[in-house]
Amino acid sequence: MTRTDRPAAVVGTMSVLDRFLPVWIGGAMVVGLLFGRMVPTLGEALGRVELDGISLPIAVGLLVMMYPVLAKVRYDRLDTVTGDRRLLIGSLALNWVVGPALMFAVAWLLLPDLPEYRTGLIIVGLARCIAMVIIWNDLAGGDREAAAVLVAINSVFQVIMFAGLGWFYLSVLPGWLGLEQATIDTSPWQIAKSVLIFLGIPLVAGYLTRRYGEKAKGRTWYEDRFLPRIGPWALYGLLFTIVVLFALQGDQITSRPLDVVRIAVPLLVYFVVMWGSGILLGAAMGLGYARTTTLAFTAAGNNFELAIAVAIATYGVSSGQALAGVVGPLIEVPVLVGLVYVALALRARFPDTRRAPALTKEF
């Protein structure tokens, strides 16, 4: 391991914002929970204005979070990703075969006596990544173009398969196994709207920004001057989203700590197993560090905004299913931040020698 490959050396190249990211995220969670607990009417006020069933402040935070990363994507390189069949097949298998089945299994094994939370977790397992995973992938030095393609493909599959898989895992499979059955009430159009808003808008904005920015000022100006200016806004958007999200549910989370712990355990198992499966599969297929990292994070990440919206629309804002959806990012955020550092520590074990492009002063 060379000096520059050591995790400490990699961390030393990060900006202050990146280096202390776990601290900022932890602080954002605490601030949100305190706001939600100290100002009981805050959640109602924040949730009064919605965009596709999601509180408008959360929607704004998600859009701000995703735009800078998608503006960094080299859209002229996407053909190198779409031509990698191993990566695409591996991602589809992890996301649409392994992921839902794993969440179903851990939810039933660890929450057999809590049907509302169990149903909420199964819905989380069906909602595949489209938002925060782009941030984790970038911080870990994953392949930015591959992440954009995999997120887009998973979004299309989400529109097509979410309702059908929900019916299968909540009604059909439990019936076959002699377990308690549940229902899910959502439509492909409802899911499509969520995907179009939270992925489509920042994706189009990022593409147009790069196309016309490079055309007007050139690629050197765009990548050396413009991107470093907008880069930090991805993490600002992330922190803002976390504050608002936990402010909305602060009272429920702080008043039911034991329930939160029960929900957290299967989520922790799920995130770690999915990420580890992605790393092992990518390494076995010889994808190299960047694409293996992208495969792992896109497999482990979930579309919590869709899961929460579906749970609220189907079961109500104060339901156990909705609480399970909210606890999702409470566990996902710190766990996947930790896995970013694990990925960096594993980088030297991969045969390719490419450096992670995201861990610079861009952020």
Side-chain angles (χ1 to χ4, degrees), residues 160-178:
I160 297 171
M161 302 181 67
F162 186 93
L165 286 175
W167 170 72
F168 177 75
Y169 279 104
L170 292 175
S171 297
V172 177
L173 186 57
W176 289 350
L177 299 175

PDB file of all heavy atoms in Angstrom, residues 160-178:
ATOM      1  N   ILE A 160     -42.139   0.302 -13.073  1.00  0.00           N
ATOM      2  CA  ILE A 160     -42.771  -0.898 -13.632  1.00  0.00           C
ATOM      3  C   ILE A 160     -43.088  -1.939 -12.558  1.00  0.00           C
ATOM      4  O   ILE A 160     -44.144  -2.566 -12.578  1.00  0.00           O
ATOM      5  CB  ILE A 160     -41.858  -1.524 -14.706  1.00  0.00           C
ATOM      6  CG1 ILE A 160     -41.660  -0.545 -15.879  1.00  0.00           C
ATOM      7  CG2 ILE A 160     -42.433  -2.841 -15.208  1.00  0.00           C
ATOM      8  CD1 ILE A 160     -40.601  -0.996 -16.871  1.00  0.00           C
ATOM      9  N   MET A 161     -42.185  -2.085 -11.576  1.00  0.00           N
ATOM     10  CA  MET A 161     -42.236  -3.258 -10.706  1.00  0.00           C
ATOM     11  C   MET A 161     -42.678  -2.993  -9.276  1.00  0.00           C
ATOM     12  O   MET A 161     -43.024  -3.943  -8.558  1.00  0.00           O
ATOM     13  CB  MET A 161     -40.854  -3.936 -10.690  1.00  0.00           C
ATOM     14  CG  MET A 161     -40.370  -4.369 -12.061  1.00  0.00           C
ATOM     15  SD  MET A 161     -38.768  -5.196 -12.037  1.00  0.00           S
ATOM     16  CE  MET A 161     -39.186  -6.709 -11.163  1.00  0.00           C
ATOM     17  N   PHE A 162     -42.677  -1.749  -8.809  1.00  0.00           N
ATOM     18  CA  PHE A 162     -42.914  -1.490  -7.395  1.00  0.00           C
ATOM     19  C   PHE A 162     -44.255  -2.040  -6.920  1.00  0.00           C
ATOM     20  O   PHE A 162     -44.329  -2.770  -5.925  1.00  0.00           O
ATOM     21  CB  PHE A 162     -42.833   0.018  -7.116  1.00  0.00           C
ATOM     22  CG  PHE A 162     -42.934   0.369  -5.658  1.00  0.00           C
ATOM     23  CD1 PHE A 162     -41.792   0.507  -4.889  1.00  0.00           C
ATOM     24  CD2 PHE A 162     -44.164   0.575  -5.052  1.00  0.00           C
ATOM     25  CE1 PHE A 162     -41.876   0.848  -3.542  1.00  0.00           C
ATOM     26  CE2 PHE A 162     -44.267   0.906  -3.714  1.00  0.00           C
ATOM     27  CZ  PHE A 162     -43.115   1.040  -2.954  1.00  0.00           C
ATOM     28  N   ALA A 163     -45.326  -1.679  -7.607  1.00  0.00           N
ATOM     29  CA  ALA A 163     -46.657  -2.106  -7.171  1.00  0.00           C
ATOM     30  C   ALA A 163     -46.788  -3.632  -7.215  1.00  0.00           C
ATOM     31  O   ALA A 163     -47.331  -4.249  -6.287  1.00  0.00           O
ATOM     32  CB  ALA A 163     -47.732  -1.454  -8.034  1.00  0.00           C
ATOM     33  N   GLY A 164     -46.284  -4.254  -8.283  1.00  0.00           N
ATOM     34  CA  GLY A 164     -46.376  -5.706  -8.409  1.00  0.00           C
ATOM     35  C   GLY A 164     -45.577  -6.427  -7.347  1.00  0.00           C
ATOM     36  O   GLY A 164     -46.052  -7.411  -6.747  1.00  0.00           O
ATOM     37  N   LEU A 165     -44.362  -5.941  -7.065  1.00  0.00           N
ATOM     38  CA  LEU A 165     -43.551  -6.568  -6.027  1.00  0.00           C
ATOM     39  C   LEU A 165     -44.154  -6.334  -4.646  1.00  0.00           C
ATOM     40  O   LEU A 165     -44.068  -7.204  -3.765  1.00  0.00           O
ATOM     41  CB  LEU A 165     -42.119  -6.020  -6.077  1.00  0.00           C
ATOM     42  CG  LEU A 165     -41.249  -6.526  -7.225  1.00  0.00           C
ATOM     43  CD1 LEU A 165     -39.904  -5.819  -7.236  1.00  0.00           C
ATOM     44  CD2 LEU A 165     -41.044  -8.036  -7.137  1.00  0.00           C
ATOM     45  N   GLY A 166     -44.769  -5.158  -4.460  1.00  0.00           N
ATOM     46  CA  GLY A 166     -45.447  -4.903  -3.192  1.00  0.00           C
ATOM     47  C   GLY A 166     -46.561  -5.903  -2.953  1.00  0.00           C
ATOM     48  O   GLY A 166     -46.719  -6.437  -1.846  1.00  0.00           O
ATOM     49  N   TRP A 167     -47.357  -6.151  -3.987  1.00  0.00           N
ATOM     50  CA  TRP A 167     -48.431  -7.150  -3.898  1.00  0.00           C
ATOM     51  C   TRP A 167     -47.865  -8.538  -3.607  1.00  0.00           C
ATOM     52  O   TRP A 167     -48.384  -9.278  -2.774  1.00  0.00           O
ATOM     53  CB  TRP A 167     -49.215  -7.137  -5.210  1.00  0.00           C
ATOM     54  CG  TRP A 167     -50.197  -8.252  -5.365  1.00  0.00           C
ATOM     55  CD1 TRP A 167     -51.380  -8.416  -4.713  1.00  0.00           C
ATOM     56  CD2 TRP A 167     -50.079  -9.379  -6.252  1.00  0.00           C
ATOM     57  NE1 TRP A 167     -52.010  -9.568  -5.124  1.00  0.00           N
ATOM     58  CE2 TRP A 167     -51.230 -10.181  -6.076  1.00  0.00           C
ATOM     59  CE3 TRP A 167     -49.113  -9.769  -7.179  1.00  0.00           C
ATOM     60  CZ2 TRP A 167     -51.436 -11.357  -6.787  1.00  0.00           C
ATOM     61  CZ3 TRP A 167     -49.321 -10.948  -7.891  1.00  0.00           C
ATOM     62  CH2 TRP A 167     -50.469 -11.717  -7.690  1.00  0.00           C
ATOM     63  N   PHE A 168     -46.746  -8.885  -4.272  1.00  0.00           N
ATOM     64  CA  PHE A 168     -46.161 -10.209  -4.093  1.00  0.00           C
ATOM     65  C   PHE A 168     -45.617 -10.397  -2.681  1.00  0.00           C
ATOM     66  O   PHE A 168     -45.915 -11.403  -2.011  1.00  0.00           O
ATOM     67  CB  PHE A 168     -45.041 -10.421  -5.111  1.00  0.00           C
ATOM     68  CG  PHE A 168     -44.315 -11.738  -4.955  1.00  0.00           C
ATOM     69  CD1 PHE A 168     -44.897 -12.925  -5.371  1.00  0.00           C
ATOM     70  CD2 PHE A 168     -43.053 -11.780  -4.367  1.00  0.00           C
ATOM     71  CE1 PHE A 168     -44.240 -14.143  -5.214  1.00  0.00           C
ATOM     72  CE2 PHE A 168     -42.384 -12.987  -4.210  1.00  0.00           C
ATOM     73  CZ  PHE A 168     -42.980 -14.174  -4.631  1.00  0.00           C
ATOM     74  N   TYR A 169     -44.818  -9.432  -2.192  1.00  0.00           N
ATOM     75  CA  TYR A 169     -44.149  -9.610  -0.903  1.00  0.00           C
ATOM     76  C   TYR A 169     -45.059  -9.345   0.298  1.00  0.00           C
ATOM     77  O   TYR A 169     -44.770  -9.817   1.399  1.00  0.00           O
ATOM     78  CB  TYR A 169     -42.901  -8.721  -0.818  1.00  0.00           C
ATOM     79  CG  TYR A 169     -41.711  -9.323  -1.527  1.00  0.00           C
ATOM     80  CD1 TYR A 169     -41.291  -8.843  -2.766  1.00  0.00           C
ATOM     81  CD2 TYR A 169     -41.019 -10.387  -0.973  1.00  0.00           C
ATOM     82  CE1 TYR A 169     -40.209  -9.402  -3.429  1.00  0.00           C
ATOM     83  CE2 TYR A 169     -39.923 -10.958  -1.619  1.00  0.00           C
ATOM     84  CZ  TYR A 169     -39.535 -10.459  -2.844  1.00  0.00           C
ATOM     85  OH  TYR A 169     -38.470 -11.029  -3.488  1.00  0.00           O
ATOM     86  N   LEU A 170     -46.141  -8.597   0.096  1.00  0.00           N
ATOM     87  CA  LEU A 170     -47.035  -8.309   1.217  1.00  0.00           C
ATOM     88  C   LEU A 170     -48.257  -9.225   1.255  1.00  0.00           C
ATOM     89  O   LEU A 170     -48.830  -9.436   2.326  1.00  0.00           O
ATOM     90  CB  LEU A 170     -47.492  -6.849   1.168  1.00  0.00           C
ATOM     91  CG  LEU A 170     -46.403  -5.813   1.434  1.00  0.00           C
ATOM     92  CD1 LEU A 170     -46.945  -4.410   1.229  1.00  0.00           C
ATOM     93  CD2 LEU A 170     -45.826  -5.956   2.835  1.00  0.00           C
ATOM     94  N   SER A 171     -48.646  -9.769   0.107  1.00  0.00           N
ATOM     95  CA  SER A 171     -49.861 -10.584   0.068  1.00  0.00           C
ATOM     96  C   SER A 171     -49.616 -12.017  -0.396  1.00  0.00           C
ATOM     97  O   SER A 171     -49.980 -12.974   0.281  1.00  0.00           O
ATOM     98  CB  SER A 171     -50.898  -9.926  -0.852  1.00  0.00           C
ATOM     99  OG  SER A 171     -51.286  -8.662  -0.353  1.00  0.00           O
ATOM    100  N   VAL A 172     -48.976 -12.172  -1.546  1.00  0.00           N
ATOM    101  CA  VAL A 172     -48.853 -13.497  -2.157  1.00  0.00           C
ATOM    102  C   VAL A 172     -47.875 -14.388  -1.396  1.00  0.00           C
ATOM    103  O   VAL A 172     -48.230 -15.499  -0.959  1.00  0.00           O
ATOM    104  CB  VAL A 172     -48.419 -13.372  -3.632  1.00  0.00           C
ATOM    105  CG1 VAL A 172     -48.221 -14.760  -4.242  1.00  0.00           C
ATOM    106  CG2 VAL A 172     -49.452 -12.592  -4.426  1.00  0.00           C
ATOM    107  N   LEU A 173     -46.629 -13.935  -1.232  1.00  0.00           N
ATOM    108  CA  LEU A 173     -45.614 -14.767  -0.580  1.00  0.00           C
ATOM    109  C   LEU A 173     -45.975 -15.109   0.867  1.00  0.00           C
ATOM    110  O   LEU A 173     -45.836 -16.280   1.266  1.00  0.00           O
ATOM    111  CB  LEU A 173     -44.253 -14.081  -0.654  1.00  0.00           C
ATOM    112  CG  LEU A 173     -43.058 -14.891  -0.137  1.00  0.00           C
ATOM    113  CD1 LEU A 173     -42.937 -16.225  -0.865  1.00  0.00           C
ATOM    114  CD2 LEU A 173     -41.761 -14.082  -0.275  1.00  0.00           C
ATOM    115  N   PRO A 174     -46.455 -14.144   1.679  1.00  0.00           N
ATOM    116  CA  PRO A 174     -46.890 -14.531   3.027  1.00  0.00           C
ATOM    117  C   PRO A 174     -48.006 -15.581   3.002  1.00  0.00           C
ATOM    118  O   PRO A 174     -48.052 -16.463   3.868  1.00  0.00           O
ATOM    119  CB  PRO A 174     -47.382 -13.205   3.633  1.00  0.00           C
ATOM    120  CG  PRO A 174     -46.634 -12.154   2.888  1.00  0.00           C
ATOM    121  CD  PRO A 174     -46.506 -12.683   1.496  1.00  0.00           C
ATOM    122  N   GLY A 175     -48.920 -15.472   2.019  1.00  0.00           N
ATOM    123  CA  GLY A 175     -49.973 -16.473   1.899  1.00  0.00           C
ATOM    124  C   GLY A 175     -49.416 -17.847   1.613  1.00  0.00           C
ATOM    125  O   GLY A 175     -49.858 -18.849   2.195  1.00  0.00           O
ATOM    126  N   TRP A 176     -48.446 -17.922   0.713  1.00  0.00           N
ATOM    127  CA  TRP A 176     -47.818 -19.208   0.402  1.00  0.00           C
ATOM    128  C   TRP A 176     -47.131 -19.807   1.623  1.00  0.00           C
ATOM    129  O   TRP A 176     -47.106 -21.022   1.807  1.00  0.00           O
ATOM    130  CB  TRP A 176     -46.789 -19.027  -0.714  1.00  0.00           C
ATOM    131  CG  TRP A 176     -47.384 -18.749  -2.058  1.00  0.00           C
ATOM    132  CD1 TRP A 176     -48.703 -18.823  -2.410  1.00  0.00           C
ATOM    133  CD2 TRP A 176     -46.680 -18.350  -3.228  1.00  0.00           C
ATOM    134  NE1 TRP A 176     -48.869 -18.490  -3.726  1.00  0.00           N
ATOM    135  CE2 TRP A 176     -47.637 -18.197  -4.260  1.00  0.00           C
ATOM    136  CE3 TRP A 176     -45.341 -18.093  -3.508  1.00  0.00           C
ATOM    137  CZ2 TRP A 176     -47.290 -17.797  -5.547  1.00  0.00           C
ATOM    138  CZ3 TRP A 176     -44.991 -17.693  -4.792  1.00  0.00           C
ATOM    139  CH2 TRP A 176     -45.962 -17.560  -5.802  1.00  0.00           C
ATOM    140  N   LEU A 177     -46.523 -18.927   2.454  1.00  0.00           N
ATOM    141  CA  LEU A 177     -45.762 -19.392   3.603  1.00  0.00           C
ATOM    142  C   LEU A 177     -46.612 -19.538   4.864  1.00  0.00           C
ATOM    143  O   LEU A 177     -46.085 -19.887   5.926  1.00  0.00           O
ATOM    144  CB  LEU A 177     -44.600 -18.423   3.881  1.00  0.00           C
ATOM    145  CG  LEU A 177     -43.574 -18.267   2.758  1.00  0.00           C
ATOM    146  CD1 LEU A 177     -42.548 -17.196   3.106  1.00  0.00           C
ATOM    147  CD2 LEU A 177     -42.881 -19.589   2.460  1.00  0.00           C
ATOM    148  N   GLY A 178     -47.907 -19.232   4.748  1.00  0.00           N
ATOM    149  CA  GLY A 178     -48.786 -19.323   5.902  1.00  0.00           C
ATOM    150  C   GLY A 178     -48.585 -18.205   6.898  1.00  0.00           C
ATOM    151  O   GLY A 178     -48.851 -18.381   8.099  1.00  0.00           O
TER     152      GLY A 178
END
